[in-house]
Amino acid sequence: MNPVLKNDMAVWKAALVCLALVGCGGDVADSGAPFVSAPLPVPNSESVDAALAPEGWETIANQYQYFTLDKPATVRFGVGDTWVTRQLAAGRVYCFFNPDPAPGKFKTCQRSTVTDPVSDPALSPACATFYAPGFALTSTRQADAIPTLAKPAKGAAVSEPTYKTCLVRATDHTTDGLSGFARNDYSRRQAFNANSTKQLVYALDGSWHVYDANTRARLKKLSGPGGDAEPQWHPTNPDLLYYLPTNGVGMKLHELNVSTGATRVVGDFGARLKARWPTAAAAWTKSEGSPSADGRYWCFMVDTSNWSSVGVFTWDRDTDSILGTYDTQGERPDHVSMSPSGNYCVVSGDGPRGTAAFSRDFSTKTQLLSKSEHSDLALDANGDDIYVAVDYQSNGGDVFMLNLRTGVRTALFPTYLSGTATALHISGKAFAKPGWVLVSTYADYGGAQQWLHRKLLAVQLKANPTVYTLAHHRTASNGYWTEPVASVNRDFTRVAFNSNWGSGSDTDVDTYVVEIPASALK
């Protein structure tokens, strides 16, 4: 301990009481914390130096000092690229906020000098006032170095060093009490509920958890879903969640109220499917499908008890009616999914059928690809259903889009660059921001780092698209659990992704979120 602090233990003990609280921002006397009559001595006698603050900020106090605000202001506490940011009322403020954004490092308090800071209601409190007016995402395609960045504390807003976006660590599986990891489940599943107030997280033991997407607090372990239960948020009710029995065995679809725990069966397919296929035992999408954007239309594949395929069917939630069936003749799909409009059931596979889009009654078929690759279904700016995938069989290893109504295919960008190959996932779940998809790239090999590698990318659905880089995900690939599998919320303001933060561990994985302004994609 610094000798100066050793000589003032009474003040130090008072500070420890303050640190144990949620935070010490604002007047300590008003917050219920013990009032400390004098500032704590500052380690190494460092002085407040406004010259150390970047443009848009001014340093107003060192850690453990008091300062006075003559009017409400945006104040951040931290060091380097790691900060906790708050909106504070006028008054006397103690310069230490919880959670500590950089434990063990000497920090300062800085006040925003931007007049009338922009507050974006679509973002969490940590990021709501992060962005200055006129902020623009980076669309330059270049292989930027990945700067070292200390793993953020849970809940702290961090400026992504290269792309200056708001990055927040959403989980800490160790302190949250989750088994093995706290992951975003998959790119093709929406992590966020209808109004982005809740977030789904998956643990190594197969349990599902709901987090507060604004405070990052773990709210509860869900009772009902387990393993490959394929949870899907209700499109308008933020408390409702659909899920299947594990691997679809039992052929029922449940609806769960995550706030009250109440559950009900909304679709019992067993008798109807057995009448069509007597050996039917499981109905699911095989973990990668989703319903239409409005939650009404669903497409499921049907397996026997030994996991051989018998068929695919479409279902209308509102009328509880099966709309069409298709015999797979033993060619088991890799997965199936409904398109956002509900007009098409996409059956994806590596057999002779390949990947094809069928009309809802299976009367028409459009061939999409000869194989099953990482892909998702999205809406373009005109509201058409779009299949977005990577085609490793093409000369350029193209990421492409195909309009399900017109059949027109458009290349978006190549992935075979300078002898490299790149693994990636696609998330097309930004239904309220049509014309954009999220791409997360990982596990590149074969040569030097290229512009698309190890990034989260917002990709425009048009020829010669604008591609914005949102962040480096900083995961060191080591098996399936470390894949970033980034997924996007409905209005493309929040992106959830996984990272082991460069550790190389196959299970020390947490979920992080990048938040961008609602007006950022243009």
Side-chain angles (χ1 to χ4, degrees), residues 18-141:
C18 183
L19 301 187
L21 301 176
V22 172
C24 301
D27 194 320
V28 178
D30 293 338
S31 71
F35 184 78
V36 183
S37 61
L40 277 173
V42 178
N44 302 322
S45 300
E46 286 147 314
S47 60
V48 176
D49 185 355
L52 296 178
E55 182 179 357
W57 297 92
E58 61 177 348
T59 302
I60 51 177
N62 286 321
Q63 180 175 318
Y64 305 141
Q65 289 183 330
Y66 284 103
F67 58 93
T68 300
L69 297 174
D70 58 0
K71 60 182 179 181
T74 300
V75 176
R76 67 179 191 173
F77 171 69
V79 63
D81 288 314
T82 307
W83 300 85
V84 171
T85 304
R86 291 185 179 167
Q87 290 289 313
L88 298 181
R92 195 164 183 253
V93 181
Y94 183 63
C95 185
F96 195 101
F97 300 165
N98 275 327
D100 186 340
K105 294 184 179 180
F106 182 73
K107 296 167 283 290
T108 64
C109 286
Q110 296 180 352
R111 174 172 52 195
S112 173
T113 59
V114 177
T115 304
D116 298 322
V118 176
S119 181
D120 192 330
L123 306 186
S124 71
C127 296
T129 57
F130 178 91
Y131 293 101
F135 169 80
L137 292 169
T138 300
S139 60
T140 303
R141 300 187 187 185

Side-chain angles (χ1 to χ4, degrees), residues 54-402:
E55 182 179 357
W57 297 92
E58 61 177 348
T59 302
I60 51 177
N62 286 321
Q63 180 175 318
Y64 305 141
Q65 289 183 330
Y66 284 103
F67 58 93
T68 300
L69 297 174
D70 58 0
K71 60 182 179 181
T74 300
V75 176
R76 67 179 191 173
F77 171 69
V79 63
D81 288 314
T82 307
W83 300 85
V84 171
T85 304
R86 291 185 179 167
Q87 290 289 313
L88 298 181
R92 195 164 183 253
V93 181
Y94 183 63
C95 185
F96 195 101
F97 300 165
N98 275 327
D100 186 340
K105 294 184 179 180
F106 182 73
K107 296 167 283 290
T108 64
C109 286
Q110 296 180 352
R111 174 172 52 195
S112 173
T113 59
V114 177
T115 304
D116 298 322
V118 176
S119 181
D120 192 330
L123 306 186
S124 71
C127 296
T129 57
F130 178 91
Y131 293 101
F135 169 80
L137 292 169
T138 300
S139 60
T140 303
R141 300 187 187 185
Q142 61 186 31
D144 298 305
I146 306 177
T148 299
L149 178 64
K151 184 185 289 188
K154 177 180 171 177
V158 175
S159 177
E160 209 286 338
T162 307
Y163 305 108
K164 309 306 179 187
T165 50
C166 187
L167 171 64
V168 184
R169 183 179 177 184
T171 70
D172 183 332
H173 63 276
T174 301
T175 59
D176 293 345
L178 270 65
S179 168
F181 51 61
R183 294 180 73 255
N184 180 56
D185 178 54
Y186 199 60
S187 54
R188 296 178 59 121
R189 182 167 294 115
Q190 286 177 326
F192 300 97
N193 66 345
N195 61 4
S196 295
T197 58
K198 295 182 177 68
Q199 181 177 351
L200 271 179
V201 169
Y202 184 64
L204 181 60
D205 63 2
S207 59
W208 293 89
H209 302 258
V210 173
Y211 279 65
D212 187 308
N214 289 320
T215 67
R216 322 296 169 177
R218 188 179 76 88
L219 299 178
K220 63 170 61 177
K221 173 183 174 180
L222 292 180
S223 176
D228 282 340
E230 304 188 15
Q232 308 281 353
W233 286 109
H234 190 282
T236 58
N237 188 324
D239 285 328
L240 295 185
L241 187 76
Y242 300 108
Y243 73 94
L244 296 167
T246 303
N247 300 334
V249 176
M251 300 177 285
K252 294 181 180 180
L253 180 68
H254 301 266
E255 181 187 83
L256 170 68
N257 187 309
V258 299
S259 294
T260 67
T263 185
R264 68 187 182 103
V265 174
V266 294
D268 187 343
F269 314 122
R272 286 174 284 182
L273 295 182
K274 284 181 176 294
R276 179 70 174 80
W277 298 292
T279 58
W284 60 329
T285 74
K286 202 166 170 287
S287 300
E288 296 189 29
S290 57
S292 57
D294 63 3
R296 177 172 180 174
Y297 298 106
W298 299 66
C299 177
F300 297 103
M301 55 188 278
V302 183
D303 286 332
T304 68
S305 58
N306 64 0
W307 303 110
S308 61
S309 178
V310 292
V312 178
F313 73 98
T314 53
W315 174 70
D316 183 340
R317 178 202 61 188
D318 291 0
T319 62
D320 188 21
S321 56
I322 290 179
L323 305 174
T325 60
Y326 172 77
D327 287 314
T328 56
Q329 299 178 342
E331 186 182 334
R332 192 173 188 235
D334 179 80
H335 65 273
V336 300
S337 185
M338 210 70 193
S339 70
S341 72
N343 291 331
Y344 304 94
C345 169
V346 175
V347 181
S348 185
D350 287 320
R353 184 180 54 242
T355 296
F358 293 87
S359 58
R360 211 159 47 210
D361 62 359
F362 295 96
S363 62
T364 64
K365 172 186 174 183
T366 301
Q367 195 67 36
L368 305 180
L369 196 61
S370 62
K371 292 179 62 62
S372 176
E373 301 286 10
H374 281 155
S375 65
D376 202 5
L377 298 160
L379 294 172
D380 70 6
N382 297 320
D384 276 341
D385 290 309
I386 302 294
Y387 173 72
V388 187
V390 60
D391 185 358
Y392 291 123
Q393 310 307 307
S394 65
N395 290 337
D398 292 334
V399 172
F400 71 95
M401 56 181 276
L402 193 151

Side-chain angles (χ1 to χ4, degrees), residues 481-512:
W481 299 130
T482 64
E483 294 176 6
V485 291
S487 65
V488 64
N489 70 341
R490 286 184 172 251
D491 63 5
F492 217 127
T493 58
R494 305 191 190 199
V495 170
F497 67 97
N498 302 319
S499 181
N500 59 17
W501 215 254
S503 71
S505 170
D506 61 344
T507 56
D508 185 14
V509 176
D510 276 298
T511 304
Y512 297 78

